[in-house]
Amino acid sequence: MAQATCELIWVKLILHDMGFTMPSSIMLFLMSETIPCHRDYLVSLKRERLSFKKKLLNALTELEMLEPTVKSLIEEPNRKCRKKVAKSDQVQYPSNLDLTPVEVEMPRVVLCPEEMPSRHGPNNLDLTLVEVEMPSSVVPGFFWESCQIGKDVEVAEHEEFTAKDYKDPPPAPLIDVDELTQWSFYRALIAEFIATLLFLHVTVATVIGYKSEVDPTKNSAPDAACSGVVILGIAWAFGGTIFILLYCMAGTSGGHINPAVTFGLFLARKVSLIRAVLYMVAQCLGAICGVGLVKGFHKSYYDRYGGGANELAPGYNKGTGLGAEIIGSFVLVHTVFSATDPKRNARDSHVPVLAPLPIGFAVFMVHLATIPITGTGINPARSFGAAVIYNKDKAWDDQWIFWVGPFIGAAIAAAYHQYILRAAAIKALGSFRSNPHV
């Protein structure tokens, strides 16, 4: 018991020597506990205590000496990491890499404070206009390639928005051989073929059905000429079919369905020469097949009622027929350019513009005006397909009218839109004069 008490006293004295303070009650207890201890044992404990204290102090000294080394071992990886990060900031880019800053136009949302309900905020809230840029189509040959919605408005009270609010698609190359290696190009040709086939099948069948209904040998009623679809129904058949097919095919091929439209877009640099020529070939082949289907379904009426071929009506000379085709084709192609113009789409954002609708109405109106004169061509593929299947001298004699007239009308419409309405020549001249390197 006495030995254990002395060992306890030894430990507590060492702690006291190390600087740990003890309450007086504990020290008195320790002093009282020393009485049973033998003198010799206490002397030995004192020596051991001094030896332990010395070892402990030596250990602490060594730790103090090792402290810088330990710190260096801990901080060395951090320094290496910082060096690596610093080196990674100095990336060596290739010499031919273009690091020119690019301006990115963010869409702006425009609200009119005076039209906002009062719960949306105070009337003096400065909220400026709207301009939302829609994604442009990536379909080659799609002649409304850029569709944007926006409008020029005041950005601030004394500040006007002067940036261009529309984007013109880049001009198509004259000859683009790369198109021949793309599946999308051949898919567009197939779409043009099918669209023209369906167009001719529906419209020529409507013409033959109309002539069959008004045939006096079959229907002797006094109002026979007013029964059935009549001329108004034929015009609706042409215009409505164009509207439907354009809506379906525009995303694949652009929905030309007409060599005159393709020719006008080629002159305006919307399609390449290769695409324009092959489009016309596909359209003519589709027209031949479409009229061939009509002949197969209406064998007893096809030849009897003229096969839906375009011919100059009696009482009109060739000049009149040519003029009618030029004007009708001009109206159609001009409508195509106007309905698909990115600038117009941007400025008339308050009116949703569905391009196939005005184009279909243009076809409808032109047919009402020119059916009594030429039967309304304005589409060389339509006239050519019917002439090939019908194959009569009169249809071939007047065939040139339905090629020359639409092509002239398309060329005039392209020039009018590009150089008058869009002032391409004036803009090009101004750019030429302002360029100091020219």
Side-chain angles (χ1 to χ4, degrees):
M1 179 66 181
Q3 183 177 355
T5 305
C6 291
E7 289 178 356
L8 178 62
I9 295 171
W10 173 65
V11 173
K12 293 185 178 181
L13 287 174
I14 292 176
L15 294 176
H16 183 268
D17 291 339
M18 296 296 296
F20 293 96
T21 59
M22 299 183 194
S24 57
S25 59
I26 297 178
M27 294 299 297
L28 291 173
F29 170 77
L30 292 175
M31 292 174 64
S32 63
E33 291 294 330
T34 58
I35 297 172
C37 295
H38 301 286
R39 180 179 179 82
D40 295 336
Y41 188 71
L42 286 175
V43 172
S44 65
L45 286 178
K46 185 176 182 180
R47 291 195 191 101
E48 292 179 5
R49 181 176 63 127
L50 293 175
S51 175
F52 177 79
K53 181 180 178 181
K54 185 177 182 180
K55 291 180 180 179
L56 186 59
L57 291 175
N58 291 336
L60 291 175
T61 304
E62 292 178 0
L63 286 176
E64 291 178 357
M65 294 174 62
L66 290 173
E67 184 179 2
T69 307
V70 173
K71 287 184 177 179
S72 64
L73 291 175
I74 294 174
E75 294 179 356
E76 184 65 21
N78 294 334
R79 284 199 297 270
K80 291 182 178 179
C81 292
R82 286 195 294 269
K83 289 181 180 179
K84 290 181 179 179
V85 172
K87 289 182 178 179
S88 64
D89 292 339
Q90 302 174 357
V91 180
Q92 298 296 326
Y93 295 99
S95 58
N96 59 349
L97 183 62
D98 185 8
L99 298 178
T100 307
V102 178
E103 292 185 1
V104 179
E105 182 179 355
M106 301 300 294
R108 290 173 297 284
V109 178
V110 178
L111 301 175
C112 298
E114 61 272 15
E115 297 180 2
M116 292 172 52
S118 59
R119 69 175 185 272
H120 287 179
N123 293 330
N124 60 353
L125 185 61
D126 184 17
L127 297 175
T128 353
L129 267 205
V130 154
E131 182 186 1
V132 180
E133 182 173 349
M134 302 299 293
S136 57
S137 172
V138 296
V139 179
F142 186 36
F143 53 77
W144 42 90
E145 295 180 18
S146 178
C147 178
Q148 294 175 324
I149 301 176
K151 201 170 184 179
D152 282 337
V153 290
E154 292 185 356
V155 176
E157 185 176 357
H158 302 289
E159 209 172 296
E160 289 190 359
F161 175 73
T162 58
K164 193 175 182 182
D165 61 350
Y166 63 93
K167 179 181 179 182
D168 285 316
L174 180 62
I175 299 177
D176 189 1
V177 183
D178 292 339
E179 288 183 322
L180 299 176
T181 63
Q182 299 173 358
W183 160 243
S184 60
F185 175 71
Y186 298 98
R187 182 178 58 193
L189 292 178
I190 295 172
E192 286 295 311
F193 172 83
I194 297 297
T196 314
L197 183 151
L198 296 175
F199 175 63
L200 265 294
H201 171 70
V202 172
T203 54
V204 172
T206 303
V207 171
I208 293 177
Y210 159 73
K211 290 186 176 181
S212 174
E213 290 175 354
V214 300
D215 186 1
T217 61
K218 290 181 59 180
N219 190 354
S220 58
D223 59 346
C226 298
S227 62
V229 296
V230 299
I231 292 180
L232 184 64
I234 294 174
W236 272 119
F238 277 87
T241 306
I242 285 292
F243 168 73
I244 295 170
L245 293 175
L246 281 181
Y247 184 83
C248 296
M249 302 296 181
T252 304
S253 66
H256 297 193
I257 320 176
N258 188 336
V261 172
T262 303
F263 181 69
L265 295 172
F266 165 71
L267 294 180
R269 299 292 302 277
K270 305 295 184 182
V271 295
S272 66
L273 178 61
I274 294 176
R275 184 178 290 268
V277 171
L278 293 182
Y279 266 29
M280 293 180 189
V281 172
Q283 291 158 1
C284 291
L285 292 177
I288 294 172
C289 295
V291 180
L293 290 177
V294 176
K295 184 175 182 179
F297 295 151
H298 302 276
K299 292 182 180 179
S300 57
Y301 297 111
Y302 182 80
D303 289 331
R304 181 178 178 181
Y305 296 115
N310 288 122
E311 297 176 355
L312 191 63
Y316 296 96
N317 57 38
K318 295 184 182 300
T320 302
L322 181 63
E325 288 296 310
I326 292 174
I327 295 175
S329 301
F330 172 84
V331 172
L332 172 60
V333 178
H334 175 51
T335 304
V336 169
F337 277 106
S338 299
T340 61
D341 184 7
K343 182 176 181 179
R344 179 185 179 117
N345 290 342
R347 300 296 169 82
D348 294 343
S349 58
H350 59 283
V351 179
V353 178
L354 181 62
L357 184 60
I359 297 172
F361 266 105
V363 173
F364 167 72
M365 298 303 297
V366 170
H367 274 75
L368 288 180
T370 57
I371 282 177
I373 304 174
T374 61
T376 308
I378 68 170
N379 186 336
R382 177 257 187 274
S383 302
F384 180 74
V388 169
I389 301 299
Y390 186 56
N391 199 23
K392 301 295 182 181
D393 292 341
K394 176 63 175 173
W396 287 116
D397 290 342
D398 298 336
Q399 185 65 203
W400 67 272
I401 296 175
F402 304 104
W403 283 87
V404 176
F407 277 14
I408 293 176
I412 296 173
Y416 174 66
H417 182 270
Q418 293 294 108
Y419 298 105
I420 304 298
L421 299 184
R422 295 301 300 275
I426 298 176
K427 292 178 182 178
L429 181 60
S431 176
F432 178 82
R433 288 178 175 176
S434 62
N435 189 349
H437 301 290
V438 177

